Amino acid sequence: MSNDSSPLHNDYTINDEIGRGRFGTVYRCYSVVSGDAFACKSIDKRLLTDPTDRECLQKEPKILHILGGNANIVQIYRLYEDEDYLHMIIDLCDTPDLFDRISKRNGVFSETESATVFKPLLNSISYCHRLGIAHRDIKPDNVLFDNRGVLKLADFGSAEWFGMCENGRMSGVVGTPYYVAPEVLSGMEYNEKCDVWSAGVILYIMLAGVPPFYGETPAETFESVLRGNLRFPTRLFRGVSSEAKDLLRKMLCKDVNRRWSADQVLRHPWVVSGGQTRALADLT
């Protein structure tokens, strides 16, 4: 990654809009030199009136630079900044994200299909945690795929270097309803296992078609998350293996001390077998 003062348009041809967020827009772009396709995430700094948002703006490219080299994390290649905008040249992921894929199918994925998504997602989370970084906003919208179908974890605007925090503990309520961990909502200090909880919610949704904790309003959803009463309704989980439910219990455990780490999740039999533990058991 290089921080260039040369104009963005000298190096890249900016094409169509492919995404839009609260503060910026993502465009498809092409390198003038190589013709290779990338994405340009352009953030309007004039919209960042909150000092916290400005801090996140500066933090995200630094974190992406540290995380460079992992196949399941969006890579940053160039950074441009002028008075009004910050532009990041990143991997192009213009196929449907996980949110779109779940919505299109109304939920339910088979266990092997779920594991195909879940394992690289946990690989990316584990890699972040080993480098002392927590994503803090794991949700299907931030799970992207490139044109080869490779999963890419994206949007590190809420990420934090917990390795630089006292005792590795973070603070601040960040995240998204349905996916945010109860200890984050409670206002307590918390650790990187908040990401494991969020990934567990994603797995539950892929297997059941509905979130494990929800309400009619965001406030009711938060109350449900804080209760953390994990259930497996028979009508939704009749075809789901005991191994998958065991993994969900270990990830969606309200007691953070008992909740598994990302590395432990990757060693769970359901993950190791690619979601085929039931099939293997049936053959023995």
Side-chain angles (χ1 to χ4, degrees), residues 4 6 22 58 73 85 87 109 124 132 142 151 154 181-182 186 210 216 234-235 247 250 260 280-281:
D4 292 340
S6 57
R22 191 157 54 115
Q58 299 301 324
I73 295 175
Y85 284 91
H87 308 281
F109 289 60
S124 69
N142 291 335
L151 181 146
S186 70
V210 297
E216 294 298 321
T234 303
R235 64 185 177 84
L247 175 58
K250 288 175 166 61
W260 275 21
L280 291 173

Side-chain angles (χ1 to χ4, degrees), residues 56-69:
C56 290
L57 173 69
Q58 299 301 324
K59 190 183 294 182
E60 183 176 16
K62 293 176 183 177
I63 286 177
L64 286 176
H65 181 54
I66 290 170
L67 296 174

Side-chain angles (χ1 to χ4, degrees), residues 177-178 204-205 209-225 227 229 231 233 235-236:
Y178 298 122
Y204 189 106
I205 290 172
V210 297
F213 313 106
Y214 58 90
E216 294 298 321
T217 65
E220 289 180 5
T221 298
F222 289 149
E223 289 174 8
S224 178
V225 171
R227 286 194 298 272
N229 186 12
R231 295 176 178 174
R235 64 185 177 84
L236 298 176

